[in-house]
Amino acid sequence: MQIDTQYLFFFSMVGAFNGFLLAAYFWFTEPKETSNKFLSLMLLALSLRIFKSVILYFNPDVARDFLQLGLMACFSIGPFLYFHVLSKVGKYRADNWFYRGQLIVLGTLLIGVGLFLPYDTYPELWRGPIYRIINWVWFAYITASAFELRPIWKQMVDKERQLAFSETITLSVFAGNLLIWAAFFTASYLSYILGAIIFSFILYLTVMLVIFRKKEVPVKYADKSIARDEASTLKDRLDTLIAEEQLHLSSTITLPKLAGRLNTSVPKLSQFLNDNLQKSFADFINEHRINSAKQRLTIEGKSIKMEQLAEECGYNSMSTFYSAFKKIAGETPAKFRDRISTDL
């Protein structure tokens, strides 16, 4: 293998390997949000597709079973991107049979074709019609994702405020998908390895963006503030939703999910919290969680274990619970419980 070819192989393959690592990171990282699960699955599928492409480019005699695995993974990239975007904008609900049905149908179709029409027996079918169907399904879900991202597109056009960091990352994931799809779709005109190179480049660009982001700057809004009546109505709806459904107690609650339950946009809810309540989303949720914890401690005292209380108040770790409690209440949960017991 020549030096230039070695460099090409290295930069193509390193993206795939790091994609596997990132997939594992997003699957196991806290908080275990649904959007992270779908992002993990998308990265896994995309990394398998890239891995297959690199191996095939440098070793055309690779086993056909491996080629089939790569193409089956490719079929999953678009759907996982779409459900990741749905989760980020607060529209995905696990109990919605329209979404669950898509996953079931696509999974059944994928497994059925793989079992009854294996690549080893029908290579021409996989290289022709199946390959084209896979690419168009991927593109269809990219298009659907673009449609679901329209509140963020609108925000970019209107320039009412800077995009939040999480919104920037979501757009990067979407743009990367589109570029990689375009690279593979035009593989007959351009180099087949281009998709792998783009994947590595986008992956490292995103990682560097995360690493050098010191701290997310509070969102700055333009002069277009929310009207007083609209803000009052939004506050009433938010208070009612929190009181009746106790959404703050869910460990998977996110800004997009809360906006979806309020039937409002993520930018508008973010603006309301920052401008009208003078709170970040995290502070808003933590205040409600700690108030619930204080009520439980006042009523139940030492009969409830701290680990149980933390979990039931939406915290996945005791350290996070203690830090939030002390920040908001000014004392640890244990000291608060002891003080309340003494006062009573």
Side-chain angles (χ1 to χ4, degrees):
M1 189 180 290
Q2 298 179 351
I3 298 297
D4 291 344
T5 305
Q6 290 177 344
Y7 279 122
L8 185 62
F9 178 80
F10 173 78
F11 284 114
S12 302
M13 189 62 77
V14 75
F17 278 117
N18 283 285
F20 290 130
L21 294 178
L22 274 179
Y25 170 79
F26 282 114
W27 184 267
F28 294 107
T29 190
E30 299 287 349
K32 294 183 179 180
E33 299 179 350
T34 303
S35 61
N36 282 345
K37 296 291 187 182
F38 283 123
L39 179 58
S40 172
L41 292 171
M42 188 208 74
L43 283 170
L44 177 62
L46 194 50
S47 299
L48 283 171
R49 174 68 168 92
I50 297 298
F51 189 73
K52 187 274 296 185
S53 300
V54 175
I55 296 299
L56 178 63
Y57 183 81
F58 290 98
N59 181 20
D61 298 325
V62 67
R64 289 177 175 178
D65 289 343
F66 182 72
L67 298 179
Q68 178 176 324
L69 177 62
L71 289 173
M72 290 174 68
C74 186
F75 184 77
S76 307
I77 298 171
F80 287 142
L81 167 68
Y82 175 66
F83 287 109
H84 167 68
V85 169
L86 280 179
S87 301
K88 294 299 288 186
V89 300
K91 285 190 175 183
Y92 177 78
R93 295 184 62 181
D95 58 351
N96 188 313
W97 274 100
F98 175 71
Y99 299 139
R100 185 181 296 182
Q102 287 186 61
L103 291 173
I104 293 174
V105 170
L106 290 171
T108 303
L109 181 62
L110 185 64
I111 295 173
V113 171
L115 290 176
F116 296 105
L117 297 173
Y119 194 117
D120 190 52
T121 308
Y122 303 94
E124 296 304 320
L125 189 63
W126 279 85
R127 293 169 187 162
I130 293 180
Y131 179 76
R132 287 192 292 272
I133 290 173
I134 287 173
N135 277 281
W136 283 115
V137 167
W138 185 0
F139 181 73
Y141 275 101
I142 289 176
T143 303
S145 300
F147 179 79
E148 296 297 342
L149 286 169
R150 61 192 185 282
I152 302 180
W153 301 129
K154 183 178 184 300
Q155 190 60 54
M156 291 179 62
V157 174
D158 294 344
K159 297 181 180 179
E160 293 182 2
R161 65 168 176 84
Q162 296 177 349
L163 291 180
F165 184 75
S166 61
E167 294 172 329
T168 303
I169 293 298
T170 301
L171 291 182
S172 299
V173 171
F174 170 81
N177 247 271
L178 181 59
L179 286 173
I180 296 168
W181 173 86
F184 283 121
F185 188 76
T186 58
S188 57
Y189 307 102
L190 303 172
S191 174
Y192 186 72
I193 204 65
L194 183 60
I197 297 294
I198 292 176
F199 177 63
S200 298
F201 175 75
I202 293 173
L203 186 65
Y204 279 99
L205 189 64
T206 304
V207 170
M208 293 298 290
L209 179 64
V210 173
I211 290 175
F212 286 104
R213 169 183 171 258
K214 301 296 184 181
K215 184 178 181 181
E216 187 167 356
V217 179
V219 178
K220 300 294 183 182
Y221 298 93
D223 295 333
K224 297 181 180 180
S225 59
I226 300 176
R228 182 178 299 178
D229 291 343
E230 185 179 4
S232 178
T233 301
L234 186 57
K235 183 179 186 305
D236 290 340
R237 288 167 52 204
L238 181 58
D239 290 342
T240 300
L241 187 65
I242 291 294
E244 292 181 351
E245 300 191 21
Q246 301 287 291
L247 295 178
H248 58 286
L249 299 182
S250 169
S251 61
T252 61
I253 188 64
T254 61
L255 180 63
K257 286 183 180 179
L258 185 57
R261 300 290 291 118
L262 287 167
N263 292 319
T264 190
S265 67
V266 172
K268 180 168 288 186
L269 178 57
S270 179
Q271 181 178 3
F272 170 76
L273 292 174
N274 282 272
D275 285 358
N276 296 80
L277 300 186
Q278 301 296 310
K279 301 172 184 176
S280 67
F281 171 74
D283 288 340
F284 174 78
I285 293 297
N286 278 325
E287 285 184 11
H288 280 281
R289 285 176 174 174
I290 299 307
N291 285 336
S292 295
K294 289 165 67 176
Q295 291 175 8
R296 295 282 300 277
L297 287 172
T298 301
I299 297 172
E300 301 178 46
K302 295 185 178 181
S303 65
I304 184 170
K305 294 181 178 180
M306 287 299 179
E307 292 81 2
Q308 178 186 351
L309 179 64
E311 183 179 354
E312 293 179 356
C313 286
Y315 293 100
N316 291 315
S317 71
M318 287 296 294
S319 60
T320 305
F321 171 59
Y322 269 83
S323 297
F325 198 103
K326 190 170 183 180
K327 177 182 178 182
I328 294 170
E331 56 187 338
T332 66
K335 287 184 177 180
F336 175 84
R337 180 177 57 187
D338 293 341
R339 180 172 59 80
I340 291 298
S341 299
T342 302
D343 292 344
L344 294 177

